[in-house]
Amino acid sequence: MSSANNPSQTSYGVGKPALSDAQATLLVEDVFGLKVSEIKPLPSYYDQNFHIVTTDLEKTTNVTDFVLKITNCQESENENLIDVQTRVMMFVREKGFPTATAVPTRDGRIHSLESIDYGSGKKDHVVRLMTYLPGVPLGKMHAGQDLLYEVGQLAAKLDKVLEKFSHPNINTLDRGPFIWNLSQVPLLKRMVFALDQQRPREVVEQTILEFETSMLPKLGDFRRSLNHGDLNDYNILLQQTSKDSLGKKQDSYRISGILDFNLMSNGYYVFEVAIAMMYAMIESQDPLKAGGYVLAGFESILPLKPMERDALFLLVMGRFAQSLVIARHSVLQHPENEEYLMVTAKTGWKHLLTMAEFGKEAVEKIWFDTAKEYSECK
């Protein structure tokens, strides 16, 4: 059965790379022609990433710090999709967004398909080297309302810019039954067996049912767009800066990096804001209001239509369900990566269950009132 039609395969149960530091170093030197002075593994979900420091400046980027990304076996089968994702990243960088750029291989390509043996026979992996973006992940900060508002603006601006992106293989972003596309929440039915607690499982199953009956029929009414699809709290980087306030210097933070375009797909504007709202809630001290600040920022650029606003509650519930269920399912397959896979789960289940307890009307009131009050004070 092909991976495109098998949700368990779409969840990347197989094919995560497992290169040693020495193998990764050799890849950089052989494929990209750079001499490595330092190498450090980076946490990852399905791929394998390394922070690479080179001895000399790379001539096309004038930097020495990079991320080596080795794509999992399954996604490496679709080089055209990876090429489009990389081109998007480079396109939005040209438009002023703080994204990485791809370093060309020795023969001038932006990626290379390499056959690699790391103990279980040779496997094909797409390999890319991208500039390293410094910064602190949003998930490690207690973001205030101004920063959350900027996250919402970022999501809207990104989707607006993506309207102008074109590519001969752009149709690869029509990813069918791709488990992380927000329209594919019903695919979670094949993974709920991984949940071992009754109440969380009940909430997920109810979310899936409501998605099938009341969300899927409405999708045709939403405005379509290309989605980054994963503006989570670890894919947005911050750097510290200073500003003057009443004659005093105060530390503040600005968005300095956008990571990981791997979950890109065709979707809808409302998907992007729902995903950003959900992840903004994860580490917030006031999670429901956090969603409202993100919504305010998004609507300052792209006001939602009434039917799109009406869908937000179920879309955010759906994204919580995706993140939590897929992580739990992935832990069964990769228990050695549990700490990274379960980052969202530390508070995510609490937020999902709280939303279910409050209900749509109460949660929406908090979101919409918060967004309105903040916007009126801008």
Side-chain angles (χ1 to χ4, degrees), residues 5 13 109 113 138 155 164 195 212 229 234 267 272 293 371 374-375:
N5 295 312
R109 294 172 293 146
L113 185 66
L138 179 66
K164 302 178 179 66
L195 304 181
E212 289 179 312
Y234 280 81
E272 199 81 275
Y293 297 129
Y374 183 87
S375 298

Side-chain angles (χ1 to χ4, degrees), residues 65 67 93 98-101 131-135 237 239 256-259:
D65 280 41
V67 172
R93 180 181 176 84
T99 64
T101 191
T131 50
Y132 178 83
L133 298 176
L237 300 178
Q239 281 193 322
S256 62
I258 308 167
L259 303 178

Side-chain angles (χ1 to χ4, degrees), residues 162-378:
L162 289 175
E163 293 174 359
K164 302 178 179 66
F165 177 76
S166 63
H167 190 280
N169 293 317
I170 198 170
N171 63 319
T172 59
L173 295 176
D174 292 321
R175 302 179 69 171
F178 176 51
I179 192 69
W180 283 105
N181 187 291
L182 200 41
S183 66
Q184 301 299 319
V185 167
L187 291 180
L188 297 177
K189 284 190 287 188
R190 299 190 187 186
M191 296 183 184
V192 293
F193 72 86
L195 304 181
D196 54 9
Q197 295 186 36
Q198 182 177 357
R199 181 54 181 159
R201 182 165 178 164
E202 288 175 350
V203 170
V204 168
E205 290 176 336
Q206 182 62 33
T207 299
I208 294 171
L209 178 61
E210 291 183 21
F211 218 94
E212 289 179 312
T213 58
S214 64
M215 181 61 66
L216 295 185
K218 298 177 182 177
L219 291 181
D221 296 329
F222 300 155
R223 291 170 294 171
R224 295 194 64 87
S225 70
L226 291 182
N227 293 150
H228 176 281
D230 197 21
L231 288 175
N232 71 53
D233 47 332
Y234 280 81
N235 281 341
I236 297 175
L237 300 178
L238 309 175
Q239 281 193 322
Q240 196 170 30
T241 184
S242 296
K243 64 180 181 180
D244 288 317
S245 179
L246 301 177
K248 296 181 179 181
K249 287 283 187 181
Q250 292 187 340
D251 289 332
S252 60
Y253 290 85
R254 61 179 179 84
I255 295 174
S256 62
I258 308 167
L259 303 178
D260 203 349
F261 286 73
N262 290 9
L263 301 192
M264 275 200 71
S265 62
N266 277 321
Y268 306 89
Y269 290 123
V270 69
F271 280 13
E272 199 81 275
V273 66
I275 291 168
M277 289 171 65
M278 173 258 162
Y279 285 113
M281 294 171 62
I282 294 297
E283 297 298 335
S284 175
Q285 296 174 327
D286 196 345
L288 292 179
K289 282 195 171 184
Y293 297 129
V294 173
L295 177 62
F298 190 90
E299 290 203 298
S300 73
I301 308 295
L302 269 170
L304 295 177
K305 294 183 177 181
M307 67 184 68
E308 293 168 331
R309 268 192 153 214
D310 186 61
L312 280 174
F313 177 81
L314 190 50
L315 289 173
V316 173
M317 290 281 287
R319 185 51 164 209
F320 266 118
Q322 285 180 317
S323 181
L324 296 166
V325 174
I326 294 171
R328 186 68 253 172
H329 184 263
S330 297
V331 167
L332 298 181
Q333 298 165 321
H334 297 284
E336 76 285 352
N337 201 25
E338 181 172 3
E339 182 178 357
Y340 181 77
L341 292 170
M342 299 299 287
V343 166
T344 298
K346 291 177 182 178
T347 56
W349 283 113
K350 175 184 176 182
H351 298 334
L352 178 63
L353 297 179
T354 296
M355 287 182 64
E357 180 182 350
F358 277 32
K360 181 177 186 292
E361 184 176 347
V363 171
E364 284 182 343
K365 178 172 174 53
I366 295 172
W367 283 344
F368 299 160
D369 286 353
T370 299
K372 183 174 184 291
E373 290 167 6
Y374 183 87
S375 298
E376 288 176 347
C377 292
K378 288 295 287 181

